[in-house]
Amino acid sequence: MAFSLHLLSLGEGATAHLESGGFIRSEPGVPHPDIQYHFLPSQVIDHGRVASTMEAYQVHVGPMRSTSVGWLKLKSTDPNDHPIIEPNYMSTERDIWEFRQCVKLTREIFAQKAFEKFRGPEIQPGNHVQSDKEIDAFIRQKADSAYHPSCTCKMGQLSDSTAVVDPQTKVIGVENLRVVDASIMPSVVSGNLNAPTIMIAEKAADIIKGLPSLQEKNVPVYKPKTLETQR
């Protein structure tokens, strides 16, 4: 989801897009970052397919672990036919609430003193969008998928009717076929998919070669002291 403000400073930006980003929690008590930010020094509309008519800066923001679950199935027995994909966006109240938080928390960030000399009028969603109902309507109009789809080919045990591949990355019910990519993740990770996909591929390579697991035992996991009190 894009969130834009006028850029008041002058001069060309000698920088690439998306050099600044971050992860935050939507509320106290959430055990993992569930909102991701990509900050841009310009305005990008519809993934760059629509030219901007003004100078602006922008942030792309969205929930990390959507609770909405879609589905994918074959259209026919013809392998040349595209499959039927139903992402089922925003089909849970939690997803709607998290997207709403994305807008509210982004406004909180852009309202900070550090942005004062750069801040102009809010372009999207605009100051006229304030109520939860208005924010939800904006989100439904503007939200779309980013570039990190996963979990369409879930890994699981043979007893799991929703699993497509087994713990050895083999397609269940099909001989001599494996899937090794982000699609076999059982659930969405809190971050981009490049690094975990590389890890999946290296693990699958070890499985195929019959090498033992490299997993260490009792690895400590960091837990912030403010988990229950702060975002």
Side-chain angles (χ1 to χ4, degrees), residues 48 53 79 84 93 98 134 182 230:
T53 59
I84 300 171
E93 288 300 317
E98 286 184 352
E134 290 167 341
Q230 294 183 10

Side-chain angles (χ1 to χ4, degrees), residues 149-225:
S150 62
C151 308
T152 56
C153 194
K154 173 186 174 181
M155 175 186 284
Q157 299 295 333
L158 295 178
S159 58
D160 185 349
S161 62
T162 65
V164 178
V165 300
D166 66 16
Q168 307 301 310
T169 72
K170 295 179 180 179
V171 177
I172 298 172
V174 180
E175 294 182 358
N176 302 319
L177 180 62
R178 295 178 187 262
V179 176
V180 182
D181 57 28
S183 68
I184 69 174
M185 294 179 178
S187 61
V188 181
V189 298
S190 290
N192 294 352
L193 298 183
N194 182 52
T197 301
I198 292 173
M199 295 172 67
I200 289 172
E202 292 191 351
K203 176 62 179 177
D206 287 347
I207 291 173
I208 293 170
K209 291 188 292 185
L211 298 178
S213 174
L214 300 177
Q215 180 180 359
E216 296 184 18
K217 295 182 180 180
N218 303 318
V219 177
V221 177
Y222 173 73
K223 293 184 179 180
K225 296 179 180 179

Side-chain angles (χ1 to χ4, degrees), residues 1 20-26 33-39 59-65 102 106 146 148 189-193:
M1 181 180 64
S20 295
F23 299 86
I24 66 171
R25 290 179 284 140
S26 58
D34 58 347
I35 292 178
Q36 182 178 14
Y37 283 94
H38 291 98
F39 294 93
V59 63
H60 292 181
V61 56
M64 292 302 302
R65 295 194 177 190
C102 288
T106 299
H148 302 268
V189 298
S190 290
N192 294 352
L193 298 183

